Amino acid sequence: MLGGSVWIAMVRMIVSIGGTILLFFLISESRFEKRKTIVKCACLYAALILMTCIWYAISPLVFARMGALVTYLCFGIFAVWISRDSLYVTLYKLALVFYLLSVFMIGGIEIAVFFFNENVWADIAGRALLLGLIAWFIDKYVKSTIRGFSDYVENELDRFSVAVMMLTLFLGIAFILNPRIHDQTMYRLMQIAMNFFLTGILQILVFRLYLHIGIEKTYMQENQLMEMNHRLLKRNMELLAASEEAPPEKICDNAAVNRILASYLAEARKEQIKVMLDVELGKDSGIPGIDLITILANAWENALYGCMEAKREEAGREPSIRLMIRRRKNKLVIYCSNTCRVEAEIEKGLPKPEDSGGLGVMSIVRTAEKFDGEYDFKNDNGVFIFRLVMNILPVM
């Protein structure tokens, strides 16, 4: 730091703390709505500025050694709490923000030392200028990449890789903030600039690499889903054709749902699977028939698969399927449970493909998300349970 009065320190903190908050929310999203996020950030901003100014007024030397660490540790705790990202993704983004913070803080000091004879206002102006350039670059070229990175990192990037990326950032910070280097030379300034450039380029390349991997995997899943839905449609047509040879069993008043459930009921009985149906659904289900059929057909295919796997695992076990559908005003509730292998695993809230017979679960999830649906899957000691609540338009 270049020293100065409490008021100058306060201006520095306004720029530095405000810049940290700005950069973090350029690359992260809050788990709260926008208005609540702004209020919480404003309260933290004011509290940190007040704390740092009082501390600086009491003991400038102690603040120079410990102030930045304590201040940004407090912000780090706040960021972990408010971010919608997972813990280790948030920690990585904090490391990136602190690296950028060290760049514009040290950059401001170097500008003041080399070009303005250690003028404190030049330091502040340099920080603000560098902060503005970094924020502009992130907003224009990097923001969508980093935010997209969060969506894929859970599935594509392991925690060890995240730890390595964080290590490169901390090494960059250690180089820039090395307290043993006192010489302020043009060579030192070039070293800092090159360090910032190389570390930043490395992060961007990694972002783009894993985004590319994630996008390619999404395309593959989309193709597999299309193929699976094509096979599913073909199977449903065969089942419906078979059911037309005799009037389908009356299950509910919705003709499409009644036909598909009657067909699957017959299929389950052939496999000696006990079925319990509790369906209360009128002619108008509240969502397009193709979407409802997609959910029910995939859920039932997965249930049949689970029952067959359970029978193979334990010959004397009696498999069963229970399906409940209710419409309540603007909600459609679906509950489906079936016998499954005790070892069937749930990973990141979804059953593994090998335990559900394929990608039918993803088809259910994507259809449910079209209607802001809330869903969950679990294995209750050998009973697979799928629950779904979807928002629909009320009957007029």
Side-chain angles (χ1 to χ4, degrees):
M1 294 181 65
L2 299 179
S5 66
V6 174
W7 296 107
I8 291 175
M10 182 180 73
V11 176
R12 280 200 187 101
M13 289 300 104
I14 289 174
V15 174
S16 299
I17 298 174
T20 304
I21 296 174
L22 171 64
L23 294 178
F24 181 76
F25 284 102
L26 278 176
I27 63 176
S28 300
E29 294 181 88
S30 172
R31 61 190 180 94
F32 299 105
E33 60 179 279
K34 185 176 181 180
R35 183 176 179 182
K36 288 184 178 180
T37 300
I38 292 174
V39 170
K40 294 177 189 299
C41 289
C43 292
L44 175 76
Y45 192 22
L48 289 179
I49 291 173
L50 180 62
M51 179 193 75
T52 53
C53 288
I54 293 174
W55 190 355
Y56 184 84
I58 294 173
S59 179
L61 293 179
V62 175
F63 179 80
R65 291 195 299 267
M66 300 291 296
L69 176 63
V70 173
T71 301
Y72 297 109
L73 178 61
C74 293
F75 174 75
I77 295 172
F78 172 82
V80 169
W81 170 68
I82 201 171
S83 175
R84 76 173 182 89
D85 293 321
S86 64
L87 176 61
Y88 68 98
V89 175
T90 302
L91 291 176
Y92 168 75
K93 290 185 177 181
L94 278 171
L96 179 60
V97 168
F98 291 155
Y99 176 77
L100 298 176
L101 168 68
S102 67
V103 170
F104 74 74
M105 283 180 60
I106 299 301
I109 294 174
E110 298 292 339
I111 289 172
V113 169
F114 278 102
F115 304 108
F116 297 96
N117 195 28
E118 300 187 4
N119 184 282
V120 293
W121 294 109
D123 170 28
I124 294 170
R127 294 186 189 197
L129 176 63
L130 290 174
L131 170 62
L133 290 174
I134 293 171
W136 172 81
F137 180 80
I138 290 176
D139 184 64
K140 189 171 180 63
Y141 298 106
V142 182
K143 180 172 68 174
S144 60
T145 303
I146 297 180
R147 289 189 175 184
F149 172 78
S150 300
D151 296 332
Y152 292 114
V153 70
E154 296 290 343
N155 298 319
E156 307 302 334
L157 185 59
D158 58 273
R159 298 187 183 186
F160 174 77
S161 299
V162 174
V164 171
M165 293 174 68
M166 291 176 63
L167 179 62
T168 63
L169 290 171
F170 286 130
L171 289 175
I173 294 171
F175 175 81
I176 292 175
L177 300 179
N178 189 347
R180 296 185 179 182
I181 299 178
H182 301 288
D183 297 333
Q184 301 294 334
T185 64
M186 186 60 69
Y187 178 70
R188 166 68 174 165
L189 186 61
M190 289 295 296
Q191 282 183 316
I192 293 175
M194 187 57 64
N195 178 281
F196 168 64
F197 175 77
L198 293 177
T199 305
I201 288 296
L202 174 63
Q203 304 303 312
I204 292 174
L205 289 175
V206 172
F207 292 154
R208 296 185 68 84
L209 170 63
Y210 281 99
L211 275 174
H212 177 75
I213 293 173
I215 291 171
E216 286 295 320
K217 188 172 181 179
T218 298
Y219 287 154
M220 291 177 62
Q221 288 180 340
E222 292 284 356
N223 289 333
Q224 289 175 319
L225 281 173
M226 290 177 64
E227 292 176 5
M228 182 176 181
N229 285 332
H230 176 75
R231 294 195 302 268
L232 185 61
L233 180 59
K234 183 178 179 180
R235 175 179 172 83
N236 290 339
M237 291 177 67
E238 293 172 353
L239 291 171
L240 290 174
S243 70
E244 288 178 357
E245 298 176 0
E249 181 177 339
K250 180 64 179 294
I251 298 173
C252 67
D253 293 331
N254 186 290
V257 172
N258 192 84
R259 290 194 192 98
I260 196 69
L261 291 183
S263 299
Y264 275 114
L265 179 60
E267 183 75 10
R269 286 171 176 167
K270 288 180 183 178
E271 299 294 340
Q272 297 182 337
I273 298 173
K274 182 180 179 182
V275 177
M276 294 161 282
L277 295 177
D278 184 8
V279 181
E280 293 183 7
L281 195 63
K283 294 181 180 179
D284 182 11
S285 65
I287 65 173
I290 187 62
D291 293 314
L292 183 55
I293 293 302
T294 297
I295 293 172
L296 294 177
N298 280 289
W300 201 290
E301 287 281 347
N302 292 337
L304 285 173
Y305 179 85
C307 288
M308 299 301 293
E309 287 293 297
K311 285 176 67 176
R312 277 192 285 268
E313 181 184 62
E314 187 178 344
R317 196 173 177 191
E318 183 181 3
S320 64
I321 299 174
R322 179 188 175 193
L323 177 67
M324 185 271 288
I325 305 175
R326 290 280 192 280
R327 175 168 179 166
R328 293 291 182 267
K329 295 184 179 179
N330 63 334
K331 302 287 185 183
L332 184 65
V333 182
I334 299 176
Y335 173 95
C336 183
S337 65
N338 62 271
T339 308
C340 69
R341 295 190 308 113
V342 176
E343 297 82 7
E345 297 182 29
I346 303 294
E347 186 177 74
K348 297 178 182 177
L350 299 176
K352 288 186 174 181
E354 59 267 28
D355 292 321
S356 62
L359 290 171
V361 171
M362 291 305 302
S363 185
I364 293 173
V365 168
R366 296 192 180 197
T367 304
E369 287 175 347
K370 290 171 58 177
F371 302 93
D372 297 323
E374 297 181 6
Y375 53 84
D376 71 338
F377 304 87
K378 69 176 182 178
N379 181 353
D380 187 7
N381 194 30
V383 177
F384 182 80
I385 299 174
F386 159 57
R387 293 179 292 188
L388 170 65
V389 179
M390 289 189 295
N391 295 316
I392 58 178
L393 295 175
V395 179
M396 301 302 292

PDB file of all heavy atoms in Angstrom, residues 250-254 257-258 261 277-286 292 323-329 331-334 392:
ATOM      1  N   LYS A 250     -60.654 -50.144 -18.390  1.00  0.00           N
ATOM      2  CA  LYS A 250     -60.904 -48.759 -17.978  1.00  0.00           C
ATOM      3  C   LYS A 250     -60.054 -48.435 -16.742  1.00  0.00           C
ATOM      4  O   LYS A 250     -60.201 -49.039 -15.688  1.00  0.00           O
ATOM      5  CB  LYS A 250     -62.390 -48.562 -17.647  1.00  0.00           C
ATOM      6  CG  LYS A 250     -62.752 -47.140 -17.210  1.00  0.00           C
ATOM      7  CD  LYS A 250     -62.524 -46.138 -18.335  1.00  0.00           C
ATOM      8  CE  LYS A 250     -62.894 -44.721 -17.916  1.00  0.00           C
ATOM      9  NZ  LYS A 250     -64.328 -44.537 -17.651  1.00  0.00           N
ATOM     10  N   ILE A 251     -59.159 -47.480 -16.922  1.00  0.00           N
ATOM     11  CA  ILE A 251     -58.280 -47.055 -15.827  1.00  0.00           C
ATOM     12  C   ILE A 251     -58.564 -45.613 -15.431  1.00  0.00           C
ATOM     13  O   ILE A 251     -58.636 -45.277 -14.251  1.00  0.00           O
ATOM     14  CB  ILE A 251     -56.797 -47.222 -16.224  1.00  0.00           C
ATOM     15  CG1 ILE A 251     -56.492 -48.694 -16.496  1.00  0.00           C
ATOM     16  CG2 ILE A 251     -55.871 -46.688 -15.124  1.00  0.00           C
ATOM     17  CD1 ILE A 251     -55.108 -48.947 -17.064  1.00  0.00           C
ATOM     18  N   CYS A 252     -58.757 -44.741 -16.450  1.00  0.00           N
ATOM     19  CA  CYS A 252     -59.076 -43.337 -16.187  1.00  0.00           C
ATOM     20  C   CYS A 252     -59.855 -42.794 -17.369  1.00  0.00           C
ATOM     21  O   CYS A 252     -60.043 -43.476 -18.383  1.00  0.00           O
ATOM     22  CB  CYS A 252     -57.806 -42.518 -15.925  1.00  0.00           C
ATOM     23  SG  CYS A 252     -56.732 -42.347 -17.372  1.00  0.00           S
ATOM     24  N   ASP A 253     -60.295 -41.537 -17.272  1.00  0.00           N
ATOM     25  CA  ASP A 253     -61.112 -40.931 -18.316  1.00  0.00           C
ATOM     26  C   ASP A 253     -60.302 -40.319 -19.448  1.00  0.00           C
ATOM     27  O   ASP A 253     -60.862 -39.891 -20.453  1.00  0.00           O
ATOM     28  CB  ASP A 253     -62.015 -39.846 -17.701  1.00  0.00           C
ATOM     29  CG  ASP A 253     -63.067 -40.436 -16.776  1.00  0.00           C
ATOM     30  OD1 ASP A 253     -63.470 -41.592 -17.023  1.00  0.00           O
ATOM     31  OD2 ASP A 253     -63.460 -39.750 -15.806  1.00  0.00           O
ATOM     32  N   ASN A 254     -58.983 -40.232 -19.272  1.00  0.00           N
ATOM     33  CA  ASN A 254     -58.135 -39.694 -20.334  1.00  0.00           C
ATOM     34  C   ASN A 254     -57.817 -40.826 -21.306  1.00  0.00           C
ATOM     35  O   ASN A 254     -57.154 -41.802 -20.950  1.00  0.00           O
ATOM     36  CB  ASN A 254     -56.846 -39.117 -19.732  1.00  0.00           C
ATOM     37  CG  ASN A 254     -55.996 -38.408 -20.763  1.00  0.00           C
ATOM     38  OD1 ASN A 254     -55.423 -39.033 -21.641  1.00  0.00           O
ATOM     39  ND2 ASN A 254     -55.917 -37.089 -20.650  1.00  0.00           N
ATOM     40  N   VAL A 257     -53.969 -41.692 -22.065  1.00  0.00           N
ATOM     41  CA  VAL A 257     -53.329 -42.274 -20.884  1.00  0.00           C
ATOM     42  C   VAL A 257     -53.911 -43.647 -20.590  1.00  0.00           C
ATOM     43  O   VAL A 257     -53.187 -44.584 -20.235  1.00  0.00           O
ATOM     44  CB  VAL A 257     -53.481 -41.339 -19.668  1.00  0.00           C
ATOM     45  CG1 VAL A 257     -53.002 -42.012 -18.383  1.00  0.00           C
ATOM     46  CG2 VAL A 257     -52.722 -40.039 -19.901  1.00  0.00           C
ATOM     47  N   ASN A 258     -55.218 -43.783 -20.740  1.00  0.00           N
ATOM     48  CA  ASN A 258     -55.864 -45.071 -20.475  1.00  0.00           C
ATOM     49  C   ASN A 258     -55.316 -46.158 -21.402  1.00  0.00           C
ATOM     50  O   ASN A 258     -55.016 -47.274 -20.963  1.00  0.00           O
ATOM     51  CB  ASN A 258     -57.374 -44.942 -20.663  1.00  0.00           C
ATOM     52  CG  ASN A 258     -58.121 -46.143 -20.137  1.00  0.00           C
ATOM     53  OD1 ASN A 258     -58.419 -46.231 -18.950  1.00  0.00           O
ATOM     54  ND2 ASN A 258     -58.417 -47.095 -21.010  1.00  0.00           N
ATOM     55  N   LEU A 261     -51.578 -47.009 -20.467  1.00  0.00           N
ATOM     56  CA  LEU A 261     -51.486 -47.718 -19.191  1.00  0.00           C
ATOM     57  C   LEU A 261     -52.076 -49.124 -19.299  1.00  0.00           C
ATOM     58  O   LEU A 261     -51.537 -50.075 -18.721  1.00  0.00           O
ATOM     59  CB  LEU A 261     -52.187 -46.936 -18.087  1.00  0.00           C
ATOM     60  CG  LEU A 261     -51.528 -45.617 -17.658  1.00  0.00           C
ATOM     61  CD1 LEU A 261     -52.290 -44.987 -16.492  1.00  0.00           C
ATOM     62  CD2 LEU A 261     -50.066 -45.818 -17.273  1.00  0.00           C
ATOM     63  N   LEU A 277     -52.696 -49.609  -9.497  1.00  0.00           N
ATOM     64  CA  LEU A 277     -52.942 -48.339 -10.168  1.00  0.00           C
ATOM     65  C   LEU A 277     -53.923 -47.497  -9.365  1.00  0.00           C
ATOM     66  O   LEU A 277     -54.950 -47.999  -8.906  1.00  0.00           O
ATOM     67  CB  LEU A 277     -53.498 -48.567 -11.573  1.00  0.00           C
ATOM     68  CG  LEU A 277     -52.565 -49.267 -12.570  1.00  0.00           C
ATOM     69  CD1 LEU A 277     -53.285 -49.497 -13.885  1.00  0.00           C
ATOM     70  CD2 LEU A 277     -51.307 -48.442 -12.788  1.00  0.00           C
ATOM     71  N   ASP A 278     -53.603 -46.229  -9.217  1.00  0.00           N
ATOM     72  CA  ASP A 278     -54.488 -45.275  -8.543  1.00  0.00           C
ATOM     73  C   ASP A 278     -54.451 -43.989  -9.357  1.00  0.00           C
ATOM     74  O   ASP A 278     -53.687 -43.067  -9.070  1.00  0.00           O
ATOM     75  CB  ASP A 278     -54.002 -45.041  -7.107  1.00  0.00           C
ATOM     76  CG  ASP A 278     -54.945 -44.124  -6.331  1.00  0.00           C
ATOM     77  OD1 ASP A 278     -56.029 -43.800  -6.861  1.00  0.00           O
ATOM     78  OD2 ASP A 278     -54.595 -43.726  -5.208  1.00  0.00           O
ATOM     79  N   VAL A 279     -55.248 -43.958 -10.419  1.00  0.00           N
ATOM     80  CA  VAL A 279     -55.180 -42.879 -11.407  1.00  0.00           C
ATOM     81  C   VAL A 279     -56.494 -42.116 -11.426  1.00  0.00           C
ATOM     82  O   VAL A 279     -57.547 -42.695 -11.702  1.00  0.00           O
ATOM     83  CB  VAL A 279     -54.868 -43.427 -12.815  1.00  0.00           C
ATOM     84  CG1 VAL A 279     -54.781 -42.282 -13.823  1.00  0.00           C
ATOM     85  CG2 VAL A 279     -53.582 -44.243 -12.797  1.00  0.00           C
ATOM     86  N   GLU A 280     -56.419 -40.843 -11.121  1.00  0.00           N
ATOM     87  CA  GLU A 280     -57.582 -39.950 -11.217  1.00  0.00           C
ATOM     88  C   GLU A 280     -57.233 -38.839 -12.193  1.00  0.00           C
ATOM     89  O   GLU A 280     -56.583 -37.860 -11.834  1.00  0.00           O
ATOM     90  CB  GLU A 280     -57.925 -39.369  -9.840  1.00  0.00           C
ATOM     91  CG  GLU A 280     -58.440 -40.391  -8.840  1.00  0.00           C
ATOM     92  CD  GLU A 280     -58.834 -39.753  -7.515  1.00  0.00           C
ATOM     93  OE1 GLU A 280     -58.818 -38.496  -7.443  1.00  0.00           O
ATOM     94  OE2 GLU A 280     -59.137 -40.485  -6.563  1.00  0.00           O
ATOM     95  N   LEU A 281     -57.626 -39.022 -13.427  1.00  0.00           N
ATOM     96  CA  LEU A 281     -57.265 -38.068 -14.473  1.00  0.00           C
ATOM     97  C   LEU A 281     -58.414 -37.955 -15.457  1.00  0.00           C
ATOM     98  O   LEU A 281     -58.884 -38.951 -16.007  1.00  0.00           O
ATOM     99  CB  LEU A 281     -56.000 -38.554 -15.197  1.00  0.00           C
ATOM    100  CG  LEU A 281     -55.269 -37.534 -16.065  1.00  0.00           C
ATOM    101  CD1 LEU A 281     -54.742 -36.380 -15.220  1.00  0.00           C
ATOM    102  CD2 LEU A 281     -54.111 -38.208 -16.793  1.00  0.00           C
ATOM    103  N   GLY A 282     -58.872 -36.710 -15.672  1.00  0.00           N
ATOM    104  CA  GLY A 282     -59.967 -36.469 -16.600  1.00  0.00           C
ATOM    105  C   GLY A 282     -59.497 -36.384 -18.037  1.00  0.00           C
ATOM    106  O   GLY A 282     -58.329 -36.638 -18.347  1.00  0.00           O
ATOM    107  N   LYS A 283     -60.391 -35.998 -18.905  1.00  0.00           N
ATOM    108  CA  LYS A 283     -60.054 -35.901 -20.319  1.00  0.00           C
ATOM    109  C   LYS A 283     -58.963 -34.869 -20.563  1.00  0.00           C
ATOM    110  O   LYS A 283     -58.125 -35.044 -21.450  1.00  0.00           O
ATOM    111  CB  LYS A 283     -61.311 -35.543 -21.117  1.00  0.00           C
ATOM    112  CG  LYS A 283     -62.371 -36.641 -21.109  1.00  0.00           C
ATOM    113  CD  LYS A 283     -63.587 -36.242 -21.940  1.00  0.00           C
ATOM    114  CE  LYS A 283     -64.639 -37.351 -21.929  1.00  0.00           C
ATOM    115  NZ  LYS A 283     -65.834 -36.991 -22.715  1.00  0.00           N
ATOM    116  N   ASP A 284     -58.977 -33.771 -19.795  1.00  0.00           N
ATOM    117  CA  ASP A 284     -57.957 -32.730 -19.943  1.00  0.00           C
ATOM    118  C   ASP A 284     -56.925 -32.896 -18.839  1.00  0.00           C
ATOM    119  O   ASP A 284     -57.201 -32.638 -17.671  1.00  0.00           O
ATOM    120  CB  ASP A 284     -58.604 -31.346 -19.866  1.00  0.00           C
ATOM    121  CG  ASP A 284     -57.599 -30.226 -20.051  1.00  0.00           C
ATOM    122  OD1 ASP A 284     -56.442 -30.528 -20.453  1.00  0.00           O
ATOM    123  OD2 ASP A 284     -57.940 -29.063 -19.779  1.00  0.00           O
ATOM    124  N   SER A 285     -55.735 -33.327 -19.208  1.00  0.00           N
ATOM    125  CA  SER A 285     -54.681 -33.540 -18.209  1.00  0.00           C
ATOM    126  C   SER A 285     -53.973 -32.252 -17.830  1.00  0.00           C
ATOM    127  O   SER A 285     -53.271 -32.202 -16.822  1.00  0.00           O
ATOM    128  CB  SER A 285     -53.656 -34.544 -18.741  1.00  0.00           C
ATOM    129  OG  SER A 285     -52.982 -34.006 -19.865  1.00  0.00           O
ATOM    130  N   GLY A 286     -54.122 -31.217 -18.646  1.00  0.00           N
ATOM    131  CA  GLY A 286     -53.473 -29.942 -18.349  1.00  0.00           C
ATOM    132  C   GLY A 286     -52.154 -29.743 -19.049  1.00  0.00           C
ATOM    133  O   GLY A 286     -51.608 -28.637 -19.051  1.00  0.00           O
ATOM    134  N   LEU A 292     -47.138 -35.961 -21.600  1.00  0.00           N
ATOM    135  CA  LEU A 292     -47.561 -36.845 -20.521  1.00  0.00           C
ATOM    136  C   LEU A 292     -47.252 -38.301 -20.858  1.00  0.00           C
ATOM    137  O   LEU A 292     -46.774 -39.068 -20.004  1.00  0.00           O
ATOM    138  CB  LEU A 292     -49.049 -36.659 -20.243  1.00  0.00           C
ATOM    139  CG  LEU A 292     -49.629 -37.476 -19.077  1.00  0.00           C
ATOM    140  CD1 LEU A 292     -48.854 -37.219 -17.790  1.00  0.00           C
ATOM    141  CD2 LEU A 292     -51.105 -37.159 -18.891  1.00  0.00           C
ATOM    142  N   LEU A 323     -48.455 -47.161  -9.409  1.00  0.00           N
ATOM    143  CA  LEU A 323     -48.522 -45.870 -10.093  1.00  0.00           C
ATOM    144  C   LEU A 323     -49.710 -45.076  -9.578  1.00  0.00           C
ATOM    145  O   LEU A 323     -50.830 -45.587  -9.522  1.00  0.00           O
ATOM    146  CB  LEU A 323     -48.658 -46.070 -11.609  1.00  0.00           C
ATOM    147  CG  LEU A 323     -48.820 -44.793 -12.436  1.00  0.00           C
ATOM    148  CD1 LEU A 323     -47.546 -43.952 -12.392  1.00  0.00           C
ATOM    149  CD2 LEU A 323     -49.181 -45.129 -13.884  1.00  0.00           C
ATOM    150  N   MET A 324     -49.440 -43.824  -9.204  1.00  0.00           N
ATOM    151  CA  MET A 324     -50.499 -42.931  -8.736  1.00  0.00           C
ATOM    152  C   MET A 324     -50.408 -41.620  -9.525  1.00  0.00           C
ATOM    153  O   MET A 324     -49.329 -41.040  -9.659  1.00  0.00           O
ATOM    154  CB  MET A 324     -50.351 -42.659  -7.236  1.00  0.00           C
ATOM    155  CG  MET A 324     -51.495 -41.818  -6.643  1.00  0.00           C
ATOM    156  SD  MET A 324     -51.177 -40.032  -6.741  1.00  0.00           S
ATOM    157  CE  MET A 324     -49.907 -39.837  -5.491  1.00  0.00           C
ATOM    158  N   ILE A 325     -51.523 -41.167 -10.055  1.00  0.00           N
ATOM    159  CA  ILE A 325     -51.590 -39.895 -10.787  1.00  0.00           C
ATOM    160  C   ILE A 325     -52.762 -39.104 -10.238  1.00  0.00           C
ATOM    161  O   ILE A 325     -53.886 -39.603 -10.143  1.00  0.00           O
ATOM    162  CB  ILE A 325     -51.774 -40.098 -12.302  1.00  0.00           C
ATOM    163  CG1 ILE A 325     -50.675 -41.008 -12.870  1.00  0.00           C
ATOM    164  CG2 ILE A 325     -51.766 -38.763 -13.024  1.00  0.00           C
ATOM    165  CD1 ILE A 325     -50.860 -41.344 -14.332  1.00  0.00           C
ATOM    166  N   ARG A 326     -52.510 -37.846  -9.882  1.00  0.00           N
ATOM    167  CA  ARG A 326     -53.553 -36.958  -9.369  1.00  0.00           C
ATOM    168  C   ARG A 326     -53.415 -35.585 -10.014  1.00  0.00           C
ATOM    169  O   ARG A 326     -52.311 -35.106 -10.251  1.00  0.00           O
ATOM    170  CB  ARG A 326     -53.428 -36.784  -7.861  1.00  0.00           C
ATOM    171  CG  ARG A 326     -53.778 -38.005  -7.025  1.00  0.00           C
ATOM    172  CD  ARG A 326     -55.304 -38.134  -6.888  1.00  0.00           C
ATOM    173  NE  ARG A 326     -55.624 -39.111  -5.868  1.00  0.00           N
ATOM    174  CZ  ARG A 326     -55.604 -40.413  -6.049  1.00  0.00           C
ATOM    175  NH1 ARG A 326     -55.242 -40.895  -7.221  1.00  0.00           N
ATOM    176  NH2 ARG A 326     -55.926 -41.248  -5.068  1.00  0.00           N
ATOM    177  N   ARG A 327     -54.562 -34.977 -10.278  1.00  0.00           N
ATOM    178  CA  ARG A 327     -54.566 -33.582 -10.697  1.00  0.00           C
ATOM    179  C   ARG A 327     -55.262 -32.776  -9.627  1.00  0.00           C
ATOM    180  O   ARG A 327     -56.409 -33.055  -9.279  1.00  0.00           O
ATOM    181  CB  ARG A 327     -55.272 -33.406 -12.033  1.00  0.00           C
ATOM    182  CG  ARG A 327     -55.384 -31.930 -12.399  1.00  0.00           C
ATOM    183  CD  ARG A 327     -55.799 -31.672 -13.820  1.00  0.00           C
ATOM    184  NE  ARG A 327     -55.895 -30.242 -14.043  1.00  0.00           N
ATOM    185  CZ  ARG A 327     -55.968 -29.680 -15.232  1.00  0.00           C
ATOM    186  NH1 ARG A 327     -55.939 -30.432 -16.313  1.00  0.00           N
ATOM    187  NH2 ARG A 327     -56.053 -28.371 -15.361  1.00  0.00           N
ATOM    188  N   ARG A 328     -54.554 -31.765  -9.120  1.00  0.00           N
ATOM    189  CA  ARG A 328     -55.089 -30.892  -8.085  1.00  0.00           C
ATOM    190  C   ARG A 328     -54.914 -29.438  -8.506  1.00  0.00           C
ATOM    191  O   ARG A 328     -53.810 -28.886  -8.429  1.00  0.00           O
ATOM    192  CB  ARG A 328     -54.396 -31.135  -6.742  1.00  0.00           C
ATOM    193  CG  ARG A 328     -54.684 -32.515  -6.133  1.00  0.00           C
ATOM    194  CD  ARG A 328     -56.138 -32.605  -5.689  1.00  0.00           C
ATOM    195  NE  ARG A 328     -56.443 -33.891  -5.046  1.00  0.00           N
ATOM    196  CZ  ARG A 328     -56.924 -34.942  -5.673  1.00  0.00           C
ATOM    197  NH1 ARG A 328     -57.148 -34.871  -6.987  1.00  0.00           N
ATOM    198  NH2 ARG A 328     -57.192 -36.068  -5.027  1.00  0.00           N
ATOM    199  N   LYS A 329     -55.997 -28.838  -9.008  1.00  0.00           N
ATOM    200  CA  LYS A 329     -55.982 -27.451  -9.478  1.00  0.00           C
ATOM    201  C   LYS A 329     -54.880 -27.257 -10.512  1.00  0.00           C
ATOM    202  O   LYS A 329     -54.970 -27.772 -11.605  1.00  0.00           O
ATOM    203  CB  LYS A 329     -55.838 -26.488  -8.291  1.00  0.00           C
ATOM    204  CG  LYS A 329     -57.030 -26.525  -7.352  1.00  0.00           C
ATOM    205  CD  LYS A 329     -56.893 -25.489  -6.243  1.00  0.00           C
ATOM    206  CE  LYS A 329     -58.106 -25.514  -5.326  1.00  0.00           C
ATOM    207  NZ  LYS A 329     -57.999 -24.541  -4.220  1.00  0.00           N
ATOM    208  N   LYS A 331     -51.714 -28.328 -10.371  1.00  0.00           N
ATOM    209  CA  LYS A 331     -50.612 -29.259 -10.168  1.00  0.00           C
ATOM    210  C   LYS A 331     -50.996 -30.642 -10.693  1.00  0.00           C
ATOM    211  O   LYS A 331     -52.125 -31.099 -10.510  1.00  0.00           O
ATOM    212  CB  LYS A 331     -50.257 -29.389  -8.678  1.00  0.00           C
ATOM    213  CG  LYS A 331     -49.860 -28.084  -7.990  1.00  0.00           C
ATOM    214  CD  LYS A 331     -48.493 -27.618  -8.422  1.00  0.00           C
ATOM    215  CE  LYS A 331     -48.082 -26.373  -7.626  1.00  0.00           C
ATOM    216  NZ  LYS A 331     -46.770 -25.856  -8.074  1.00  0.00           N
ATOM    217  N   LEU A 332     -50.053 -31.297 -11.337  1.00  0.00           N
ATOM    218  CA  LEU A 332     -50.209 -32.688 -11.714  1.00  0.00           C
ATOM    219  C   LEU A 332     -49.158 -33.483 -10.958  1.00  0.00           C
ATOM    220  O   LEU A 332     -47.957 -33.202 -11.057  1.00  0.00           O
ATOM    221  CB  LEU A 332     -50.010 -32.873 -13.218  1.00  0.00           C
ATOM    222  CG  LEU A 332     -50.246 -34.297 -13.736  1.00  0.00           C
ATOM    223  CD1 LEU A 332     -51.704 -34.693 -13.554  1.00  0.00           C
ATOM    224  CD2 LEU A 332     -49.835 -34.432 -15.200  1.00  0.00           C
ATOM    225  N   VAL A 333     -49.606 -34.447 -10.186  1.00  0.00           N
ATOM    226  CA  VAL A 333     -48.724 -35.235  -9.317  1.00  0.00           C
ATOM    227  C   VAL A 333     -48.640 -36.660  -9.847  1.00  0.00           C
ATOM    228  O   VAL A 333     -49.664 -37.300 -10.108  1.00  0.00           O
ATOM    229  CB  VAL A 333     -49.244 -35.250  -7.863  1.00  0.00           C
ATOM    230  CG1 VAL A 333     -48.296 -36.040  -6.962  1.00  0.00           C
ATOM    231  CG2 VAL A 333     -49.425 -33.824  -7.343  1.00  0.00           C
ATOM    232  N   ILE A 334     -47.416 -37.141 -10.008  1.00  0.00           N
ATOM    233  CA  ILE A 334     -47.179 -38.513 -10.456  1.00  0.00           C
ATOM    234  C   ILE A 334     -46.249 -39.194  -9.454  1.00  0.00           C
ATOM    235  O   ILE A 334     -45.196 -38.649  -9.111  1.00  0.00           O
ATOM    236  CB  ILE A 334     -46.556 -38.557 -11.863  1.00  0.00           C
ATOM    237  CG1 ILE A 334     -47.507 -37.912 -12.876  1.00  0.00           C
ATOM    238  CG2 ILE A 334     -46.223 -39.986 -12.272  1.00  0.00           C
ATOM    239  CD1 ILE A 334     -46.920 -37.817 -14.279  1.00  0.00           C
ATOM    240  N   ILE A 392     -49.401 -26.873 -14.089  1.00  0.00           N
ATOM    241  CA  ILE A 392     -50.273 -26.886 -15.261  1.00  0.00           C
ATOM    242  C   ILE A 392     -51.314 -25.788 -15.118  1.00  0.00           C
ATOM    243  O   ILE A 392     -51.526 -25.249 -14.025  1.00  0.00           O
ATOM    244  CB  ILE A 392     -50.964 -28.256 -15.442  1.00  0.00           C
ATOM    245  CG1 ILE A 392     -51.771 -28.611 -14.191  1.00  0.00           C
ATOM    246  CG2 ILE A 392     -49.955 -29.332 -15.769  1.00  0.00           C
ATOM    247  CD1 ILE A 392     -52.519 -29.927 -14.298  1.00  0.00           C
TER     248      ILE A 392
END
